[in-house]
Amino acid sequence: MNKIPVGQTIRFAYAFTFGEIGTVLGLTWIPTLASTIVGYFAARSYLAMADSLQSGTPPPDAQALLPLPLAVLSLFLAAMIGVALVRQVLGLRKGPAIAHFALGMEELRVFAGFVGVYLALILFLFALAAVVAGFAALGGATPLAAGITAFAVFAGFLLVIYALVRLGYLLVPAAVADGHFGLSQSWQLTGGNFWRIVAVLLATLLPLMVVLVIGEAIIMGPAPAPASAPPADVAGLLRAWTDQMHTMQPHLPALMGLNLVLAPLGYSLLFAPAAFVYRVLSGKAIVAPHD
């Protein structure tokens, strides 16, 4: 079983991202701009729906249905970006790029793979909710039932992370190189490498996330002190989420601008090392169709 060279993968991620920053920007700026616009309208839609739920007034049909097509479009744009960057790393595309927009079978396969992961996640969360509800019904409100429920939620969370890493990390390069959806190939190739992948993800994406959090804090200013204890029920959580969305609303254009600047780096630091890892684990010589 092949093992991921963690240090070499991390070095490649940063070398590719910043050494070929012009190409990275050229391949990603159009779909990233479109994704940022989609994210802006999605945030406004979520806020309107949260206000409707909190007030007890059903949202308009168009407002209620809007998040779904926006989420689908976001997944497709992410697939487009992933395919472009992976092709560059695998040598299926060469040279610099000024702008890129593609709609082909590779993008559709990756998009289908993303949808598959998303549906699997939803099904798993429903199953976890059913298990938690079953424990709650059998044990009532006893400390033992609460402990078992908390353990089930924590174990479920870990299983979700494990499944997402195994199914999703090599999905894009596998779909591009093998001509399939990439889910089964990703699961097979990542066997025995879960913690190595986690180490790569932390080393490549965590610094960017820190920069993002700092940037958001600068844009939004210091967070107000909580007025009360954390919410303990669904209604309280909904109110807290709605209040947070209202706090963000005046700063939404600036927050979207920050995302527009940092997103190409994030995409490259995610997809480029995945393509590098795919080449290491698969041992395949990737050849362009015209070669």
Side-chain angles (χ1 to χ4, degrees):
M1 182 180 295
N2 292 336
K3 294 296 182 181
I4 295 173
V6 175
Q8 189 178 357
T9 303
I10 295 169
R11 287 194 296 272
F12 176 83
Y14 283 102
F16 175 83
T17 299
F18 294 100
E20 299 191 36
I21 187 63
T23 301
V24 169
L25 293 176
L27 291 174
T28 60
W29 75 266
I30 292 180
T32 298
L33 177 60
S35 182
T36 302
I37 295 171
V38 169
Y40 176 80
F41 285 104
R44 291 175 62 90
S45 176
Y46 292 144
L47 178 59
M49 289 188 64
D51 285 336
S52 297
L53 291 172
Q54 189 171 347
S55 64
T57 304
D61 291 342
Q63 190 71 53
L65 295 175
L66 186 59
L68 180 59
L70 291 178
V72 170
L73 182 55
S74 294
L75 281 179
F76 182 78
L77 292 169
M80 186 185 302
I81 294 170
V83 168
L85 291 170
V86 163
R87 285 179 57 82
Q88 189 76 20
V89 173
L90 295 181
L92 299 175
R93 184 196 179 281
K94 301 181 185 298
I98 298 176
H100 174 80
F101 190 89
L103 175 57
M105 288 304 301
E106 289 180 333
E107 288 78 15
L108 292 175
R109 280 198 300 268
V110 172
F111 169 70
F114 284 170
V115 171
V117 172
Y118 178 77
L119 293 177
L121 175 61
I122 294 298
L123 290 175
F124 185 86
L125 291 177
F126 273 118
L128 178 61
V131 171
V132 170
F135 279 128
L138 291 174
T142 63
L144 177 60
I148 294 176
T149 300
F151 175 78
V153 171
F154 180 70
F157 175 77
L158 294 181
L159 285 173
V160 166
I161 297 300
Y162 179 81
L164 287 177
V165 169
R166 292 290 308 278
L167 287 172
Y169 189 65
L170 297 183
L171 187 159
V172 179
V176 170
D178 294 339
H180 302 292
F181 292 132
L183 292 170
S184 61
Q185 294 93 328
S186 179
W187 184 271
Q188 293 168 5
L189 290 173
T190 55
N193 282 289
F194 173 77
W195 290 112
R196 291 172 178 264
I197 294 172
V198 170
V200 171
L201 290 172
L202 289 176
T204 52
L205 297 182
L206 187 59
L208 193 65
M209 293 176 63
V210 171
V211 173
L212 179 62
V213 170
I214 293 173
E216 290 178 348
I218 293 173
I219 291 171
M220 296 184 62
S228 59
D233 54 15
V234 175
L237 290 171
L238 180 59
R239 285 193 299 271
W241 180 58
T242 305
D243 292 342
Q244 178 65 21
M245 293 290 289
H246 279 292
T247 302
M248 292 175 58
Q249 186 176 21
H251 308 286
L252 203 53
L255 293 172
M256 291 294 105
L258 177 65
N259 177 79
L260 181 63
V261 172
L262 295 181
L265 300 179
Y267 284 125
S268 182
L269 290 170
L270 174 63
F271 291 119
F276 177 83
V277 166
Y278 175 82
R279 298 188 72 160
V280 171
L281 296 183
S282 69
K284 293 182 178 180
I286 313 299
V287 180
H290 58 273
D291 286 348

